Amino acid sequence: MNGLIRLDISSRIGTGHFQRMMNLAQAMPDVDFTFLIKTDNPENKLFNGHKVFFTGDNDFSDLAYHSKNTDFVIYDLLHYSKVYIKQVKKITGKLTITFHEYNDYSTVSDLAINYNFFNGFEKKESPSFLAGPRYVIFNDTLLNTRSSAGKGVFVSFGGADPSGFTIK
């Protein structure tokens, strides 16, 4: 099985999306993943040893080309509109899985995953929209880490916190 992962990485956005998708890829060793990345730093050492291609602002032709031999496309972008997902789904014709940030839902995706806490996330669950912290993708190292205080480990994904959960 082959999968294409489309994401953005930059000095402004950071590399968290790539780390999350690497954790997902490691959890699915039978899938051959290709990464299609828009970045301001193509020499980033994180990309070493992975099948990575780069794209620019208009990624439609690159998505069409790189998705030809894939079974599904995963998108993990900071911001994208429903129009974008609709357009790329039409172009690729592939099963579409999207990881969304705060309050960014798509009815076009075959599967949308939002692991963030946000107001009303408990009510958003459906067979095609998985919401809330139980859908966080951790790697084995983090899962096996124990706090010296014995109460657990606090994990912060960075980024915005419009609901104020970090303080809680």
Side-chain angles (χ1 to χ4, degrees):
M1 183 174 280
N2 298 311
L4 176 65
I5 298 176
R6 167 66 181 93
L7 30 90
D8 294 341
I9 297 171
S10 71
S11 54
R12 187 178 111 326
I13 296 171
T15 60
H17 295 229
F18 185 74
Q19 295 291 354
R20 174 171 46 220
M21 291 298 106
M22 285 307 307
N23 289 341
L24 180 65
Q26 289 171 0
M28 301 172 68
D30 295 337
V31 178
D32 182 20
F33 282 104
T34 299
F35 293 86
L36 181 60
I37 300 173
K38 178 183 169 189
T39 186
D40 59 359
N41 183 11
E43 275 74 44
N44 192 319
K45 292 179 182 179
L46 283 175
F47 306 144
N48 293 348
H50 304 290
K51 195 174 1 174
V52 174
F53 297 94
F54 299 103
T55 189
D57 287 333
N58 187 351
D59 61 351
F60 294 134
S61 60
D62 291 330
L63 279 163
Y65 177 77
H66 290 288
S67 68
K68 283 182 183 176
N69 297 315
T70 62
D71 299 294
F72 58 90
V73 181
I74 298 175
Y75 299 87
D76 193 354
L77 310 177
L78 183 59
H79 297 289
Y80 42 107
S81 69
K82 291 179 185 177
V83 174
Y84 175 81
I85 299 297
K86 192 176 200 175
Q87 289 173 326
V88 295
K89 190 168 171 63
K90 184 177 180 180
I91 290 168
T92 65
K94 302 296 179 178
L95 180 71
T96 301
I97 303 162
T98 54
F99 283 78
H100 290 276
E101 296 298 330
Y102 178 78
N103 280 342
D104 186 8
Y105 319 118
S106 175
T107 57
V108 180
S109 303
D110 295 298
L111 177 63
I113 303 165
N114 188 330
Y115 63 84
N116 292 304
F117 290 97
F118 53 88
N119 296 329
F121 78 88
E122 306 92 339
K123 299 173 188 163
K124 297 288 184 186
E125 195 168 340
S126 78
S128 63
F129 183 74
L130 308 178
R134 68 176 162 224
Y135 299 104
V136 171
I137 301 168
F138 288 121
N139 67 27
D140 289 340
T141 302
L142 188 58
L143 286 173
N144 294 322
T145 301
R146 297 289 178 247
S147 169
S148 60
K151 294 183 180 181
V153 176
F154 172 73
V155 177
S156 173
F157 294 100
D161 183 18
S163 297
F165 285 103
T166 302
I167 294 170
K168 297 173 188 171

